[in-house]
Amino acid sequence: MSAPWTATVLTIFPEMFPGPLGFSLAGKALANGVWKLDAVDLRDYATDRHRTVDDAPFGGGAGMVMRPDVIARAVDDRTARGAPGPRVYLTPRGERLTQARVREWAEGAGVLLLCGRYEGVDQRVIEARDFLEVSIGDFVLSGGELAAMAVIDACVRLLPGVVGDAASLEEESFSGGLLEYPHYTRPQVWEGRPVPEVLLSGHHAEIRAWRRRQALEITRRRRPDLLNTVS
Ligand code: ADE
């Protein structure tokens, strides 16, 4: 049998993993061998007694920078042992993650994720080991670990068999280039608020049309930037 989809995470906090990825759909799939997690302690690839992974920035300034030699040793060793790419460095300076990118990675053999801490990572190892720099949004986390978890979760839920109802993947936000329509369940009237009448009508074509209009309207209001790319 071929190897399961594999997430390799290079971090100074391997104990953070699987963390939330050990629960719910991702956790079940991990336990069932649908995907594999290799959380690698970068300090294992340091060479000094103190297992140092960072140093002061050339040119001065605040904070510390992660050393290229330590990261390269970790990447090369895991790659030699079969860790699949693409190689991704999580950083707020990166290009924004999209659902299209997530789909592409989920269809591959896995991802190798580098989590930065401190001020960042020496730029030379990003270039020399061909890392793509990716951000999960325009905000700054205190390290790449939570971003790596977000990337892994987004990929794993697209692996075959992880989400039971494939239709729910097709209808969700972004898959049609739009935000998703709103959902309703029982009670039919709650705190004086009725469920939209059309949803009780049983007219499937009308319900589809209503949902489409809702999706368009909410996208126009919240994310007009998405509409420019809808055909
Ligand atoms: N590390 C810190 N902030 C981040 C972000 N927004 N995206 C990806 N990695 C990060």
Side-chain angles (χ1 to χ4, degrees), residues 132-148:
L132 183 63
E133 298 185 57
V134 170
S135 166
I136 64 162
D138 292 341
F139 46 84
V140 181
L141 301 167
S142 47
E145 285 78 9
L146 283 172

Side-chain angles (χ1 to χ4, degrees), residues 9-21 37 88-92 97 105 113-117 134-137 139-155:
V9 184
L10 310 185
T11 169
I12 57 168
F13 295 119
E15 320 78 39
M16 283 189 183
F17 292 84
L21 299 170
L37 176 67
V88 177
Y89 168 42
L90 283 320
T91 167
L97 182 64
W105 293 345
L113 305 171
L114 171 61
C115 303
R117 282 269 155 181
V134 170
S135 166
I136 64 162
F139 46 84
V140 181
L141 301 167
S142 47
E145 285 78 9
L146 283 172
M149 288 175 195
V151 169
I152 294 169
D153 183 80
C155 289

Side-chain angles (χ1 to χ4, degrees), residues 21 25-26 51 58 60 66 70 86 103-104 130 132 135 139 142 160 167 178 185 190 199 207-208 211 213 219 223:
L21 299 170
L25 293 173
R51 313 219 304 155
F58 280 118
M66 293 177 91
V70 175
R103 254 181 247 124
E104 180 192 319
D130 208 23
L132 183 63
S135 166
F139 46 84
S142 47
L178 297 177
T185 186
W190 176 74
L199 300 179
I207 291 171
R208 235 190 335 271
R211 284 177 168 167
R213 282 197 307 277
T219 305
R223 295 292 307 279

